[in-house]
Amino acid sequence: MKTLFSTSLLSVVLLALPGVAWSADKGSAEEAVAMVKKAIALIKTDKAKAFAAISDTANKEFHDRDLYVYVYDLNGVALAHGNNPKIVGKNLLALADSNGKLMIKEMADLAKSPAGNGWVEFKWPNPVTKAVENKAGYVERVDDMMVGSGIYK
């Protein structure tokens, strides 16, 4: 009986390990907010350098696993984007997720609010898995723009 219990317990532990490993491969909310704060600090000292670093997908300071930074002006124009630098300069205010949610507009509205920061939930392709997943994007207003990063759930 003791052997059966030990074997069962070991099986449960081994089955749980892939989930633990996968969650470690995903960025956390705290890491996303910290990445936004780091980007804001660089933007305040050297905007051009910050935008180049954020849009450089090889730059590990602003790209970690499924975390990356994006910057939009408050009208929805992409100023820097860590996952898709090709969209820089495009107005994405009317961009909708697979459920029709206008997430850039919602982020801009949140950035313009008295709080000036917060989370927006939407569906978006995960750059690691390539699957459309639930995502929560954190944005923070800086002058006339919003800086954000997000986590996949």
Side-chain angles (χ1 to χ4, degrees), residues 25-143:
D25 288 343
K26 286 187 167 192
S28 69
E30 295 79 17
E31 290 170 318
V33 171
M35 193 175 278
V36 167
K37 303 261 186 220
K38 184 185 290 187
I40 289 170
L42 185 56
I43 288 168
K44 287 182 176 182
T45 60
D46 189 337
K47 192 184 298 186
K49 181 179 177 182
F51 288 177
I54 291 165
S55 294
D56 177 3
T57 57
N59 182 320
K60 298 298 181 199
E61 192 172 9
F62 298 111
H63 304 85
D64 179 19
R65 296 161 294 168
D66 59 353
L67 295 173
Y68 56 88
V69 174
Y70 41 86
V71 183
Y72 292 87
D73 72 14
L74 297 178
N75 296 313
V77 176
L79 303 174
H81 201 282
N83 189 47
N84 189 357
K86 294 177 185 173
I87 65 171
V88 171
K90 296 182 179 174
N91 188 318
L92 300 173
L93 200 62
L95 180 66
D97 73 1
S98 59
N99 289 336
K101 186 172 195 172
L102 301 174
M103 66 273 188
I104 306 299
K105 181 182 181 327
E106 195 169 320
M107 288 179 199
D109 290 345
L110 186 58
K112 291 176 195 175
S113 74
N117 64 18
W119 293 89
V120 173
E121 300 213 0
F122 54 98
K123 292 190 175 286
W124 200 250
N126 182 317
V128 176
T129 67
K130 308 300 183 209
V132 174
E133 298 178 18
N134 290 323
K135 183 171 185 174
Y138 173 79
V139 293
E140 193 167 319
R141 182 178 180 158
V142 179
D143 301 326

Side-chain angles (χ1 to χ4, degrees), residues 7-25:
T7 304
S8 297
L9 182 61
L10 180 61
S11 296
V12 169
V13 169
L14 289 175
L15 288 172
L17 285 178
V20 171
W22 171 242
S23 65
D25 288 343

